[in-house]
Amino acid sequence: MKLIVCFLVLCSNALAYSQQPATPTPNPLDNLSFMKGDWSGKQNFETGGGPAMVGDATDRIEIGIAGKYLCEMLSTTMPGRKPTDTRHFISYDRQTGKYTAWWFNDTSTHPSELAGDLSGNKLILLSSPSGPGPVLRATYESPSENTLTFLLEMKQGDNWTKLFLTTYTKTAIAAQK
């Protein structure tokens, strides 16, 4: 009889414990909330002293795919050219403790893969040196509430060469939300 009572107590304790609310695991993508929104601005290309190249840029960044990715849709329009079509998907790898990204664009047949870290309102991602093409460094930064910058650089030897800097302002519709 004691065995049955002990078993029932054990079962009731196990059931009671399993009904306790689970402590929610924080989503590291929440730390990228400074990037979310609808953005527009200018993309200034580094031309090595040549004539200025500036495009009109738009970016929409939102959480998607069951809350597992920060989904980014970018486009830049240069005078006399059609708009670019680019998608970035950013996630967080709990095993490595790094933010990871896959970039798809209209000029490549394969995505670029990057990984990096967040410090405050600055996300720095690097492409793998073993991947195809040059090593890239992408820096997203929010210097103020309604401003987002996106700097893309390429590694040349021991130095980084700026490819372009895009400065976005949150659009009025997104700023009202």
Side-chain angles (χ1 to χ4, degrees):
M1 183 68 164
K2 283 185 182 181
L3 181 61
I4 293 173
V5 171
C6 287
F7 178 74
L8 290 175
V9 169
L10 181 63
C11 287
S12 68
N13 285 339
L15 289 173
Y17 178 77
S18 68
Q19 291 180 359
Q20 296 296 319
T23 305
T25 304
N27 185 348
L29 293 180
D30 291 343
N31 297 329
L32 302 180
S33 63
F34 68 92
M35 295 171 58
K36 293 185 342 187
D38 292 312
W39 304 90
S40 63
K42 298 288 183 185
Q43 190 169 76
N44 292 284
F45 291 86
E46 183 59 43
T47 60
M53 281 183 44
V54 179
D56 292 318
T58 60
D59 198 351
R60 179 181 182 89
I61 304 173
E62 60 192 9
I63 295 290
I65 311 175
K68 296 180 183 196
Y69 295 90
L70 192 70
C71 303
E72 182 178 17
M73 297 185 317
L74 306 87
S75 182
T76 301
T77 305
M78 300 295 291
R81 298 183 189 171
K82 68 178 189 166
T84 62
D85 184 10
T86 305
R87 304 285 191 277
H88 295 173
F89 295 92
I90 301 171
S91 191
Y92 185 79
D93 185 341
R94 290 186 188 278
Q95 289 182 328
T96 64
K98 300 277 185 191
Y99 286 89
T100 54
W102 297 267
W103 291 1
F104 300 84
N105 64 54
D106 54 5
T107 60
S108 298
T109 57
H110 298 285
S112 298
E113 294 183 47
L114 301 96
D117 297 299
L118 178 68
S119 177
N121 282 346
K122 184 185 235 182
L123 175 63
I124 301 174
L125 301 168
L126 296 172
S127 65
S128 172
S130 63
V135 175
L136 299 175
R137 177 169 66 186
T139 304
Y140 295 87
E141 187 170 14
S142 179
S144 67
E145 183 180 345
N146 291 317
T147 304
L148 180 68
T149 61
F150 176 57
L151 172 64
L152 187 63
E153 300 167 288
M154 177 177 64
K155 189 163 191 174
Q156 292 186 314
D158 292 333
N159 299 316
W160 291 99
T161 300
K162 180 168 81 169
L163 299 176
F164 63 78
L165 173 65
T166 309
T167 303
Y168 296 106
T169 302
K170 199 169 268 194
T171 60
I173 294 169
Q176 292 173 0
K177 290 181 182 177

